[in-house]
Amino acid sequence: MADRTPAGHLRGPTLWWDRLSALSDTVLLGLLVALCAVPVLTLPAGFAAACAVIARWRQGDSPALLPVFRETLADGLRRHLLAGVAFVAASTLLTLNLSLLLGLDLPGGLVLRWLVAGVSLCAFTLLTLTAAVAGVTGRGWLSAVRAAYGKAVLGPGSFLLLAAAHAVAAILVWTLPPLALVVAGPLALAATAASLREEP
């Protein structure tokens, strides 16, 4: 499966086995990203590499999955390591805030919990979109953040759909934790589609 590519999976009419093959390759990408997430700091680089592979599929290219992912990851590790530190810091801060609100009985606590949960969801969605832009375009992370923010402001529909995909993914992983090993693949597919969408 990894030695061939689903070049036609994401464009034009496809047969059922093409869709099944696309699904299996997307799941494999999710596993690769999960493997990259083990050192934590390399998670953004792994996600960006997955988005780069998916972008080539959408363009009709036919790269072998594993070699392209490995090459893109190796090229991006140096540029994305600082982004990994920022990702860990932001994730820790958002998680601690939400955990504190869940543990404390404050006036208006329910509203605050939903507010912090919404802000956290938007922040993670923006981080994911930034990684997709960095992987697809090869931009630096500061430039990718500006581009992702521009896409979120000018194309809120795509951003909200990507946020909804994150929410669904979180619910699925909460319901069935082993899905955490593969959920990054579909999220990379959604983030790549959002990053390639032209602003109105």
Side-chain angles (χ1 to χ4, degrees):
M1 183 66 65
D3 294 330
R4 58 158 191 78
T5 178
H9 292 344
L10 305 178
R11 301 185 62 183
T14 55
L15 299 174
W16 67 269
W17 56 82
D18 290 323
R19 295 185 183 278
L20 184 61
S21 180
L23 175 63
S24 64
D25 287 330
T26 303
V27 168
L28 178 57
L29 275 179
L31 287 171
L32 291 173
V33 174
L35 185 62
C36 291
V38 173
V40 182
L41 295 181
T42 56
L43 175 57
F47 193 86
C51 292
V53 173
I54 292 173
R56 292 183 63 174
W57 292 349
R58 288 176 59 90
Q59 293 165 1
D61 199 358
S62 301
L65 191 153
L66 287 178
V68 172
F69 182 88
R70 184 174 59 247
E71 292 169 9
T72 308
L73 179 64
D75 179 62
L77 276 177
R78 297 183 301 275
R79 297 184 294 113
H80 301 330
L81 193 59
L82 186 59
V85 176
F87 172 79
V88 170
S91 300
T92 303
L93 180 62
L94 291 171
T95 303
L96 284 176
N97 284 336
L98 193 56
S99 299
L100 285 173
L101 284 174
L102 289 174
L104 295 176
D105 188 15
L106 299 174
L110 181 62
V111 175
L112 284 174
R113 288 175 197 134
W114 280 105
L115 181 60
V116 172
V119 170
S120 302
L121 177 61
C122 290
F124 281 121
T125 303
L126 186 62
L127 287 172
T128 304
L129 186 57
T130 299
V133 171
V136 170
T137 64
R139 296 184 182 187
W141 279 83
L142 289 179
S143 176
V145 167
R146 290 193 293 267
Y149 178 77
K151 288 179 178 293
V153 171
L154 297 176
S158 296
F159 185 80
L160 290 176
L161 285 174
L162 183 56
H166 280 75
V168 171
I171 292 171
L172 289 175
V173 170
W174 176 70
T175 306
L176 193 61
L179 287 177
L181 295 175
V182 298
V183 75
L187 283 179
L189 185 62
T192 303
S195 70
L196 292 174
R197 191 173 187 276
E198 294 295 332
E199 297 90 344

